[in-house]
Amino acid sequence: MSPHESTTCTAFDGHRLLASGPLDEVALAARQALDAGAQGLLLVLDDASSLPVEIDFRGTPKEMLARLRRTTAAPTPTAARGPGRPKLGVTAREVTLLPRHWDWLGQQPGGASATLRRLVEEAKRSSGAKERARLSSESADRFMRVMAGDLPGYEEASRAFWRGQRSAFARCIKTWPQDVRDHLQRLATIAWDEQADVR
């Protein structure tokens, strides 16, 4: 599956939700809104990070999608490769360690490479929940800052979000435009649930 097929996004025309879903579909909806004379600032945001997705809307919708697929496609591997096992996705790189680290790695079953891979996977598993919690919190905060930074009660809502005060947060955002409020509430709930998993 290529990145453009797996990326989910949400498009806003000002504070009005245009579309949410796969990047291709959201890009087409945003293009239609532009063609119809979108009233506000048109933003397409990645759902996982709330970072803006750059889309070149020039040309026909078909040309726009072709360009989008090219810019989000995974890079093709080059023919000339160095050491490693490219078919398995393994590439050789330099690792600098102290002699005592090399000695320890040399004593491990499977050798240095297998041991390093195992250590990396264990570290990813143990810090995975914490990392997901951090990223989802940053995403909710980023969306709130971009879409509601100038709305009344923003500062109070931000403080309530970071403190995990769900009721106070809901009160702070209740007068905000419904589409922004609904999307933000979804992002905040994901972030709070991720934080609860870490504790």
Side-chain angles (χ1 to χ4, degrees):
M1 181 179 290
S2 67
H4 80 278
E5 291 168 329
S6 61
T7 301
T8 60
C9 303
T10 301
F12 283 88
D13 173 12
H15 291 138
R16 185 175 64 91
L17 177 74
L18 292 175
S20 193
L23 179 55
D24 285 1
E25 294 174 17
V26 172
L28 283 172
R31 168 65 188 261
Q32 289 172 348
L34 280 174
D35 290 346
Q39 297 300 306
L41 174 64
L42 189 76
L43 282 176
V44 178
L45 302 171
D46 180 277
D47 283 342
S49 65
S50 294
L51 288 169
V53 177
E54 296 294 325
I55 300 173
D56 182 352
F57 290 106
R58 293 175 301 157
T60 66
K62 188 175 179 179
E63 292 168 340
M64 176 198 72
L65 287 179
R67 230 180 356 262
L68 185 61
R69 288 182 181 127
R70 278 195 307 272
T71 59
T72 58
T76 54
T78 57
R81 305 273 320 227
R85 300 168 95 183
K87 288 185 180 178
L88 299 175
V90 177
T91 56
R93 294 194 182 162
E94 184 177 327
V95 175
T96 306
L97 299 173
L98 295 172
R100 68 176 182 268
H101 299 141
W102 284 116
D103 291 342
W104 181 83
L105 282 171
Q107 296 169 6
Q108 302 307 305
S113 293
T115 302
L116 287 172
R117 285 193 295 271
R118 188 175 65 250
L119 289 171
V120 168
E121 290 302 322
E122 287 172 9
K124 283 174 64 179
R125 275 194 298 276
S126 67
S127 66
K130 195 174 196 178
E131 182 69 3
R132 283 191 307 275
R134 181 184 67 78
L135 292 174
S136 60
S137 294
E138 288 176 1
S139 176
D141 181 65
R142 189 175 293 119
F143 178 81
M144 183 167 32
R145 190 173 53 249
V146 168
M147 296 298 294
D150 60 347
L151 293 178
Y154 165 76
E155 294 291 335
E156 295 82 3
S158 180
R159 283 193 290 275
F161 167 72
W162 285 108
R163 291 176 182 152
Q165 299 169 332
R166 296 180 188 223
S167 307
F169 180 75
R171 281 194 304 277
C172 290
I173 68 171
K174 70 179 179 184
T175 61
W176 292 2
Q178 182 173 350
D179 290 343
V180 171
R181 187 176 66 232
D182 292 347
H183 190 73
L184 177 58
Q185 189 69 58
R186 185 179 65 78
L187 293 175
T189 300
I190 291 169
W192 289 325
D193 291 347
E194 294 283 0
Q195 289 290 344
D197 290 344
V198 172
R199 294 183 195 119

